[in-house]
Amino acid sequence: MITFTVIVPNLNSPFIDQTIQALEQQSFSRDNYQVIVVGMDNYGLVRESDVVYFDRCEHPLSPAQARNRGARKAQGEILAFTDADCIPNIDWLAVLADRFADPNVAVVGGGVGFDTYNYWTLADNLSMFYEYLAAHQPGERRQLPSLNLSIRHKVFDEIGGFDERYPRPSGEDADLTIRLRKLGYRLYFEPRAIVVHHPPRNRLVDLLRHGYYQGMYSTKVDNRYMEEGLPPALRARLGLITLAPFLAIAATLRMFITYPNLRSYWYAAPAIYLAKVAWCLGAAHHWLRSVNGQDHSQR
């Protein structure tokens, strides 16, 4: 029987109790999985149980640091990562177990669901996770996000875990999965393994800030992954700033053209466009830092 360790980084999330409740209610056998929450809990919402262990930290950790710390304590054959603002479906682990029953499968990313009650939250989810929506077809992906990512423990150790030089929740998952793909591991997307994402970004300023930092720490502007990133003509601060409105339009249109089932959310397009503009400005800031010798890929 496959065993899992679910690792959840937590930095005082007001939502973590709901994440834990969903994990404790999994249809998968409780004898075959454990949950490790790593981080800080000023709200006192984390309750330990026969399934849940809280690895309390005295100081804030980045998501990459928290996930690696949890992996070092993990006992499961499969490491399953989700975030402290996510609600996994009751069959999340069971679906992943079906996929990992194939010994050739090493890495699986699951589908992302979301609510539509807040316009800015909807646009944020669509902008960041449009390739991983639960409504999409299964298959290989070039990258997978860490809010719904599972990997064989031995493979995670082989790759060296998440790169802890990423200071924010931006880019460390793309970095990990790119490295896995370069080693020859297939990145499989299983949309039936769903987590519902409830990010605390419900205002325009939250959307723009998130887009900005995603651009600033994206692997697309990381010198280690130039073949994965932006075309040479855009690897300059002035080029990105000047072309940002046009690049954002192109990226937004490409989303809706490539994935026709997104078109029911057409009304979110203006906000998605603004998030893409913010991404370009964040990427431009990265190039400015590179010129000043502060490239995050070498910090």
Side-chain angles (χ1 to χ4, degrees):
M1 184 70 174
I2 290 174
T3 59
F4 286 90
T5 296
V6 181
I7 299 170
V8 187
N10 181 49
L11 185 58
N12 303 315
S13 169
F15 200 80
I16 184 65
D17 56 332
Q18 298 179 57
T19 301
I20 291 173
Q21 182 180 26
L23 290 170
E24 289 191 303
Q25 293 175 349
Q26 289 292 296
S27 60
F28 197 68
S29 170
R30 290 174 71 91
D31 294 332
N32 292 298
Y33 76 97
Q34 63 175 164
V35 178
I36 300 179
V37 179
V38 182
M40 303 177 70
D41 177 35
N42 288 350
Y43 295 107
L45 298 176
V46 178
R47 296 286 185 268
E48 292 188 303
S49 68
D50 60 319
V51 171
V52 178
Y53 167 71
F54 183 30
D55 183 7
R56 187 183 298 273
C57 304
E58 297 299 323
H59 304 286
L61 299 180
S62 70
Q65 291 171 326
R67 294 188 189 105
N68 286 346
R69 178 163 165 160
R72 288 192 291 269
K73 299 178 182 293
Q75 299 175 358
E77 175 189 354
I78 309 296
L79 304 180
F81 298 97
T82 192
D83 288 345
D85 56 4
C86 291
I87 300 293
N89 275 14
I90 192 170
D91 62 348
W92 181 56
L93 290 179
V95 172
L96 291 175
D98 286 344
R99 183 56 58 188
F100 279 106
D102 181 346
N104 295 316
V105 171
V107 188
V108 179
V112 180
F114 49 82
D115 294 320
T116 59
Y117 60 86
N118 182 279
Y119 180 74
W120 305 112
T121 305
L122 169 65
D124 182 79
N125 270 321
L126 289 172
S127 176
M128 297 301 166
F129 303 113
Y130 66 93
E131 295 178 277
Y132 312 103
L133 301 190
H136 294 337
Q137 294 297 310
E140 287 193 54
R141 294 290 190 273
R142 293 184 62 80
Q143 298 176 19
L144 293 170
S146 55
L147 84 169
N148 192 353
L149 176 66
S150 51
I151 178 172
R152 293 192 186 273
H153 199 160
K154 63 181 181 181
V155 174
F156 186 83
D157 290 342
E158 174 190 352
I159 200 71
F162 288 94
D163 187 340
E164 297 184 4
R165 292 177 294 177
Y166 284 86
R168 303 178 64 92
S170 302
E172 79 283 357
D173 46 5
D175 167 84
L176 177 79
T177 53
I178 288 173
R179 287 187 282 124
L180 286 165
R181 179 162 49 80
K182 286 176 175 287
L183 285 179
Y185 291 105
R186 295 176 60 194
L187 308 180
Y188 192 83
F189 173 65
E190 174 50 79
R192 296 180 300 124
I194 298 170
V195 302
V196 180
H197 189 217
H198 299 273
R201 293 181 285 274
N202 53 22
R203 302 173 300 166
L204 173 59
V205 65
D206 301 324
L207 175 80
L208 297 178
R209 184 183 296 115
H210 191 214
Y212 183 87
Y213 282 113
Q214 287 287 331
M216 188 172 174
Y217 294 106
S218 172
T219 53
K220 292 183 182 298
V221 294
D222 191 321
N223 288 330
R224 295 172 296 176
Y225 304 120
M226 298 304 286
E227 72 281 7
E228 304 274 345
L230 297 173
L234 298 178
R235 295 172 190 167
R237 179 171 59 95
L238 290 179
L240 270 173
I241 293 175
T242 303
L243 296 176
F246 308 102
L247 292 173
I249 288 175
T252 304
L253 288 175
R254 182 169 60 87
M255 281 177 51
F256 287 95
I257 292 172
T258 306
Y259 297 98
N261 54 4
L262 295 180
R263 294 173 190 173
S264 60
Y265 304 111
W266 60 267
Y267 54 91
I272 293 171
Y273 166 77
L274 293 176
K276 299 300 183 184
V277 170
W279 188 99
C280 291
L281 297 179
H285 187 183
H286 165 83
W287 292 123
L288 178 61
R289 286 162 56 91
S290 297
V291 170
N292 293 333
Q294 298 176 337
D295 184 344
H296 76 268
S297 68
Q298 301 174 5
R299 55 185 179 275

